[in-house]
């Protein structure tokens, strides 16, 4: 069971990036997915989630209206579209999964499987 996050990079303020979280060894349809980020010296922060049935999504206030979580079940991949990026969005971004059709939460303790991070830097 693996999660592979990718898509990070350097972007100017106001720009966009799309992060991907590809799963292998299990089917994402039945799993809730959370996106988290951790800035240097800061605790890991939950920013978005999608329930296993993709019926519930949730966003932290810090990203609401700018970030969008979505799924492509055929590719077994979850995406995080990040628009209007700000310097304070600079962090290592992680995806995580827990087998649950209805759950969607932003606490790190609620997730079991974690991918490696992908680094996002927003700077001019």
């Amino acid at each position: 069971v693996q999660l592979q996050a990718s898509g990070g990079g350097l972007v100017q303020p106001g720009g966009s990036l799309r992060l991907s979280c590809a799963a292998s060894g299990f089917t994402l349809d039945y799993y809730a997915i959370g996106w988290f980020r951790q800035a240097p010296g800061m605790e890991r922060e939950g920013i978005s989630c999608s329930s296993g049935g993709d019926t519930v999504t949730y966003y932290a206030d810090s990203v609401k209206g700018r970030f969008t979580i979505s799924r492509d079940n055929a590719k077994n991949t979850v995406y995080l579209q990040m628009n209007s990026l700000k310097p304070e969005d600079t962090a290592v971004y992680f995806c995580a999964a827990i087998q649950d059709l209805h759950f969607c939460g932003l606490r790190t303790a609620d997730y079991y499987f974690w991918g490696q991070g992908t680094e996002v830097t927003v700077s001019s």
Side-chain angles (χ1 to χ4, degrees), residues 27-42:
T27 302
L28 277 178
D29 302 36
Y30 305 106
Y31 285 75
I33 298 296
W35 280 100
F36 297 79
R37 67 185 181 187
Q38 188 165 19
M42 304 291 286

Side-chain angles (χ1 to χ4, degrees), residues 1 3 21 26 28 30-37 44-54 56-60 69 71 78 80 94-115:
V1 173
L3 291 171
C21 176
F26 65 100
L28 277 178
Y30 305 106
Y31 285 75
I33 298 296
W35 280 100
F36 297 79
R37 67 185 181 187
R44 195 167 294 189
E45 170 194 20
I47 56 173
S48 183
C49 61
S50 166
S51 64
D54 202 21
V56 179
T57 58
Y58 187 76
Y59 300 92
I69 191 169
R71 292 173 178 254
V78 175
L80 185 69
F94 301 85
C95 58
I98 182 72
Q99 188 172 6
D100 195 307
L101 277 177
H102 307 293
F103 172 77
C104 179
L106 299 183
R107 296 193 315 161
T108 57
D110 289 329
Y111 291 84
Y112 188 76
F113 300 107
W114 288 83

Side-chain angles (χ1 to χ4, degrees), residues 82-95:
M82 307 188 298
N83 298 329
S84 303
L85 283 162
K86 305 175 182 179
E88 51 263 42
D89 294 319
T90 295
V92 178
Y93 284 69
F94 301 85
C95 58

Side-chain angles (χ1 to χ4, degrees), residues 56-73:
V56 179
T57 58
Y58 187 76
Y59 300 92
D61 288 342
S62 56
V63 306
K64 196 175 296 181
R66 300 188 297 123
F67 291 10
T68 303
I69 191 169
S70 63
R71 292 173 178 254
D72 185 336
N73 288 337

